[in-house]
């Protein structure tokens, strides 16, 4: 029962983070076209702190899944878990590069970060729809929306750079 609550909390947190960071990417892309006053640094850091909570809950749910002797994870579940962690770690690396400004190729790195965010979100859709008791039939439409949104945001950024 506790594991279910943690999974549900983590799913809500994951969706909130996903929505926030896609909104953040949209605002960042729009700044390539129009000047936008960004006075929400506190909000960005709040959500950055929530990443830590998300990582902790992911560690907990991963541990519970991998040590479940009553209902051990299948090979497919383990592979899905590895993919979630791999994309999540890659996403954290690029977020770190973004926050520290440790690169010169701003737009290409940001578009790669956006792609990794979309990939991690795409992979996570399977988990959060299940943990939030959403119909499995919503997975593909959500995934398509994520891809379309990422392409639109990247397009806005590129338009701002070249036009």
């Amino acid at each position: 029962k506790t594991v279910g609550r943690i999974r549900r909390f983590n799913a809500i947190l994951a969706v909130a983070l996903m929505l926030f960071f896609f909104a953040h990417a949209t605002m960042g892309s729009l700044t390539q076209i129009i000047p936008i006053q960004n006075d929400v640094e506190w909000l960005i850091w709040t959500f950055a702190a929530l990443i830590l909570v998300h990582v902790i809950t992911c560690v907990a749910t991963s541990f519970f899944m991998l040590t479940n002797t009553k209902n051990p994870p299948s090979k497919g579940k383990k592979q899905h878990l590895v993919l979630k962690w791999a994309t999540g770690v890659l996403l954290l690396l690029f977020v770190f590069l973004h926050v520290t400004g440790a690169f010169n190729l701003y737009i290409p790195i940001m578009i790669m970060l956006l792609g990794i965010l979309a990939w991690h979100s795409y992979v996570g859709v399977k988990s959060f729809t299940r943990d939030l008791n959403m119909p499995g039939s919503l997975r593909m439409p959500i995934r398509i929306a994520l891809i379309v949104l990422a392409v639109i945001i990247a397009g806005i950024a590129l338009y701002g750079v070249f036009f």
Side-chain angles (χ1 to χ4, degrees):
K1 205 166 189 171
T2 301
V3 175
R5 287 187 188 129
I6 293 171
R7 288 181 64 98
R8 184 168 176 78
F9 171 76
N10 194 39
I12 292 167
L13 184 58
V15 171
L17 286 167
M18 179 181 66
L19 293 174
F20 171 78
F21 286 112
F22 272 107
H24 178 65
T26 301
M27 294 297 288
S29 291
L30 287 173
T31 62
Q32 299 298 314
I33 299 172
I34 55 175
I36 296 175
Q37 189 66 20
N38 184 359
D39 294 331
V40 293
E41 189 172 325
W42 64 271
L43 183 62
I44 293 166
W45 285 109
T46 300
F47 273 87
L50 290 177
I51 292 172
L52 179 62
V53 177
H54 179 58
V55 170
I56 291 167
T57 56
C58 285
V59 168
T61 58
S62 297
F63 175 79
F64 291 135
M65 182 183 86
L66 293 172
T67 59
N68 187 340
T69 55
K70 185 177 178 183
N71 188 15
S74 66
K75 182 179 177 183
K77 281 185 180 180
K78 288 179 186 177
Q79 288 173 338
H80 182 73
L81 182 64
V82 167
L83 186 57
K84 283 194 298 188
W85 275 100
T87 59
V89 168
L90 189 60
L91 183 58
L92 276 176
L93 172 65
F94 273 75
V95 166
F96 175 78
L97 292 173
H98 170 55
V99 169
T100 61
F103 45 78
N104 293 327
L105 302 171
Y106 182 75
I107 293 297
I109 295 294
M110 294 312 299
I111 289 174
M112 288 185 352
L113 174 55
L114 178 62
I116 295 165
L117 172 63
W119 184 22
H120 184 63
S121 300
Y122 183 99
V123 172
V125 165
K126 181 178 180 181
S127 298
F128 81 67
T129 54
R130 184 181 58 244
D131 294 340
L132 295 176
N133 297 318
M134 297 169 72
S137 60
L138 288 178
R139 289 181 186 149
M140 193 50 68
I142 292 170
R143 286 174 167 161
I144 291 168
L146 288 169
I147 293 167
V148 169
L149 181 60
V151 169
I152 290 170
I153 294 169
I156 292 169
L158 290 171
Y159 178 84
V161 169
F162 293 111
F163 300 103

